[in-house]
Amino acid sequence: MTLTLGHGPLSSRPAGATNYAIDGPAHRLLFEDHPRRMRAEVDGRLVLDTTGGKLLHESNILPVLYVPFGDLDAAILEPTDHTTHCPFKGDASYWSLRVGDEVRENAVWAYEAPLPEATWLTGYASLTWDAADAWLEEDERLLGRLRDPYHRIDVRAAARHVEILADGELIARSDAPRLLFETGLPARIYLPREDVRLERLEASPTRTVC
């Protein structure tokens, strides 16, 4: 799934037949341009606005957005004593965001003196995704998390015959399914509502966001 998860080429357990070898550590880092305008808001205030963002692809971790430190609102940053250590990137320093009476603790981190293998992180910082109330990509508000540019979703009409049974009982039958193909996942089948015996189903309170 994607470059870094599952058996992707930058994961710790890449799979598939290749005509190349990656000469390097099992834990891999890729830092590349993210040429979209990204903005973040906290309590109605714009705290981040950048067109110079970078995506850090790291083995077994979803992509993380880093931005030039100057693209964060310096007036609301408060340094803290909190630190973390990454064996692949170095020691991270943290800042809280204070917008009026609203404080987001340790919401921003940066590797001010990264390891030699990750010196390109110098001058960049990352805002914890959930610390912002809203994220905008160009002028569209994002729902859920940042999209991985290497993760693709295609939905295709198909003429396959599909039957779904539960404990031997027919729940749905269709000759007009739609197939959802998503990077790294098996194909998922979606059926027209009229082809499903809705009286055999019970509504659930569970809600998810992709």
Side-chain angles (χ1 to χ4, degrees), residues 150-173:
Y150 297 100
H151 191 105
R152 184 183 176 97
I153 294 176
D154 294 302
V155 179
R156 297 290 181 259
R160 306 192 193 198
H161 179 73
V162 177
E163 291 186 358
I164 299 175
L165 295 91
D167 295 328
E169 181 182 3
L170 183 68
I171 301 299
R173 176 188 287 128

Side-chain angles (χ1 to χ4, degrees), residues 24-88:
H27 191 95
R28 297 153 185 155
L29 304 176
L30 170 65
F31 200 51
E32 67 171 0
D33 290 342
H34 188 63
R36 309 177 187 194
R37 185 184 184 190
M38 300 294 297
R39 286 173 286 173
E41 296 178 355
V42 171
D43 201 27
R45 176 166 176 163
L46 190 66
V47 299
L48 178 157
D49 189 350
T50 188
T51 55
K54 299 270 192 176
L55 284 187
L56 178 63
H57 301 272
E58 183 171 357
S59 292
N60 312 316
I61 299 173
L62 289 169
V64 174
L65 176 69
Y66 282 76
V67 303
F69 211 102
D71 290 345
L72 289 157
D73 185 350
I76 62 172
L77 292 177
E78 297 182 349
T80 75
D81 295 330
H82 184 65
T83 62
T84 58
H85 176 74
C86 170
F88 312 103

